Amino acid sequence: TAELPSRVCERAQRLWIICQFYYPETTSTGHSVTRIAEGLSATFDSHIICAYPGNGLNHAAVPRLEVRNGVCIHRCGATSIDHQRILRKLANQMYVSIRMAILTFFSVRRNDCVFMISSRPFIPFLVGLACALRGARRIHLIHDFYPDALVAVGIFTNKSLIYRCWSASNRCFLRLSHKIVVLGRDMQVLIADRLRMPREDIAVITNTADIEHIKGAGRSGNKLLEDLKLQDKFVIKYSGHMGRTHDVEVVLAAARPLARRSNFHFLFIGAGHKKELLAKAVANEKLSNVTVKDFLPKSEVETSMTAGDVSLISFVPGMAGVSVPGRMYDLLAAGQPIIAVTEPDSEVAQVVKEEQIGWVGPPQDSQKLVEAILESSADISPLREMGQRARLAAETKYTLQSAVQKYQEIILRVLSIE
């Protein structure tokens, strides 16, 4: 900031990051936002407003206010209702968003920069309103785009009244932001269309690969595979959230015909709405070639990421431009070839094809998925080369330092606006 005009340096004193998920939250969003916020704290007086973690931690052991790695953390309470039911989940998200908006209103000052991260549906409206009332400068980073995410999972259609009203509200609130940032090129296309604005007005900054904690050592000696006695199997791994937007059903459909081949094994690691349904189906059908595990502790992220010969990313139809999975970048760091079951214009599909690190097949097509698995297992040499290219991409294109620098530039430009 030393080379910037003095008015910018003065304004760059306080940066507020608004996101439901933050340390010690172990979700992909929470981990990513924590890394970015701590990186930005070297330049700005950084504060974050977030919710208490929802990963089973004792809330009494997590302070409401603390400073960690240069970031002042302000936490809001959440409800304890069942988050697996969609209406109750939305009610909790509304409650959390209201609490975050109130804290934002009483915390930010005029010309502070507020960096809103939209991983939940109500933040753009409630927090955006609080920022507008306080005269704060607003940057909006879209992690998941609503209401299109709810259309993709069949909650309502894109012709319904609620969709049209929600979309109109997006055009009003999001267009008032000083800058909009998205995670992928597909999101840039979709959101520019939805907001009726030029694509070049929307910045693309991808998630980052955790190359500091994931060294890409490969599956050799992987403790989880040893514990499960899968060292001699060709392991097809799904590691990540198993929510409504993730097509675990197509993976299960591919596992059924491959059950007759003893050398293939499917390993699911994660949590979410569909995990219980998946586990029940595996038990009822006695699929001995499928194992379902909980998330491993964050300290064992490399074990989780490297516990397979190929890794799967699968989405239901309609998710291109709506969300970009953060775990893809950790799979790059792990040197994992990827089989992506998603639309061909999605960011995931584009990265897999550009870096030549795997296969892309259409959503809900289990036959294409089986064909990709058989092709990937036919020769181990191409898999090694794909893994090497994946790791190289993580180290050169998707680093934390690069992302932090891009965010710094955007924040400073917003602060320099008269």
Side-chain angles (χ1 to χ4, degrees), residues 236-239 251 266 310-314 327 331 339 369:
I236 305 101
K237 175 179 64 70
Y238 179 105
S239 178
V251 183
F266 289 77
V310 295
S311 287
L312 300 175
I313 296 176
S314 56
R327 69 179 177 275
L331 293 176
I339 300 177
L369 177 54

Side-chain angles (χ1 to χ4, degrees), residues 385-402:
E385 294 171 1
M386 290 178 186
Q388 292 168 357
R389 289 193 291 268
R391 178 69 188 187
L392 180 61
E395 293 175 339
T396 57
K397 295 183 179 180
Y398 302 108
T399 64
L400 175 63
Q401 293 80 4
S402 174

Side-chain angles (χ1 to χ4, degrees), residues 35-53:
R35 281 159 49 86
I36 294 295
E38 290 177 357
L40 290 171
S41 69
T43 305
F44 305 100
D45 176 11
S46 298
H47 300 252
I48 183 152
I49 293 176
C50 60
Y52 273 91

